[in-house]
Amino acid sequence: MEKIERNAPCWCGSGKKYKTCHAAFDDKLKKYEKEPYPLPTRDLIKNAEQIEGIRKSSKINIAVLDYVAEHIRMGMSTAEIDNLVYRKTTELGGIPAPLGYEGFPCSCCVSINSVVCHGIPSDDTFLEDGDIVNVDVSTIYNGYFSDSSRMFLIGNVSEEARRLVEVTEQSLQVGLQEVKPWKRLGDMGAAIHDFIRKHGYTVVKEIGGHGIGLEFHEEPWVSYISKRGTEMLLVPGMVFTIEPMVNMGKDDIFIDEEDDWTVYTEDGSLSAQWEITVLVTEDGYEILTY
Ligand code: MF3
Ligand code: CO
C-alpha cells in the first residue's frame, strides 16, 4: 500500500485530508493483509461524489424497469421490450449499457423460461401465456453504471413457476443480510446458496455478479456458490450486483452456439433471476436500484 502524508489529500478523491478521511481505514485494512483472500483495491472504493453519480444512474435504471413493468404484455415481442428500454433510458438522459457491449446488439437482455440470462430481444419472440420473463436493464448516466433486473409473470403462470420466481427474489434479501463492512463476500453467496438449495433449486455456478459503478463490470466477481469466510473483504464504498440465477432442475447451462450469448439450462428446466445494485455502507448496505 502506498504511504500517504497525513495532511495530503486522500487517495479516494474526496478532497479531504488523508488523516480525516481514509487513514484509519487503511490501518484497519492492514490487519487483513495476511488473510489468504483478496482485499478491495482502491479503485473499488467509491467516494461520496461517485456514489451520488451511481445513485443517479440507478434512479434512471429503476425508472426504466418501472416503465417496462407498466407496458409489458402477453403477445408483445421481446424487441418491443427492447424498444421500451431504449426509449425510456435515452429520454431520461441515459445510455443503455448493453448496446454494443462486446458486440451485444440490443439495449437489454430478455430471458424467457429456460433461458438463464443474456437473451437477445427479437422481432420473432413473443411473450406467451404462462411465461416467466427476466428483463435485465443496465444504465450509464453521466459516466456512471447501474444494473438491475426483475422477473415478470405473463398471464396464467403455474404455481411451481411462480414459486421459483418468489424464492429467487427472496434469496436477495437473504444475501443482503450478509452484506456488512469487514465481512467476506463469500458469506453472501453461501447464504443465497443454502437458501436456494433448501427450496430444492440449484444456483448457476459459471455466471455471477460483479462490481459496478465506474465501469459496467468491475472486480470482484460475485459468486452465489461461495464458501463462508472466503472471497473479497467488504468495505464501505464498494458497489456490486447481487444477481443469482436459479434453476428449477440441474445447475448445468449451455450457451447458444449461433448467437454466442443466450444462456440456457442444459435440462430445459425453468430459470429465474433478480438483480440489484448494492452499496456497502458504514454499517451495512444500501440497495441503489430500489
Ligand atoms: N446485466 C448483465 C450483467 O449483469 C449484462 C450482461 S452483458 C450484455 O452483467 F451485454 F448482455 F448486456
Ligand atoms: Co449485472
Side-chain angles (χ1 to χ4, degrees), residues 136-176:
D136 190 338
V137 174
S138 318
T139 308
I140 314 173
Y141 179 70
N142 198 18
Y144 294 104
F145 290 76
S146 55
D147 196 0
S148 75
S149 81
R150 296 181 197 161
M151 296 297 295
F152 297 99
L153 306 173
I154 307 300
N156 275 310
V157 171
S158 72
E159 192 49 45
E160 57 163 17
R162 231 171 242 279
R163 192 82 200 116
L164 172 72
V165 170
E166 276 169 18
V167 167
T168 305
E169 185 176 15
Q170 286 163 9
S171 78
L172 299 185
Q173 294 303 324
V174 173
L176 282 169

Side-chain angles (χ1 to χ4, degrees), residues 97-109 117-120 134 136-138 146-149 207-210 212 216-217 241 243 245 261 273 275:
L99 196 56
Y101 175 79
E102 291 185 8
F104 193 79
C106 293
S107 296
C108 66
C109 302
C117 64
H118 301 169
I120 303 177
N134 175 275
D136 190 338
V137 174
S138 318
S146 55
D147 196 0
S148 75
S149 81
I207 312 171
H210 48 94
I212 184 166
F216 193 172
H217 297 114
T241 69
E243 49 174 318
M245 280 144 262
W261 278 104
Q273 179 183 28
E275 175 177 18

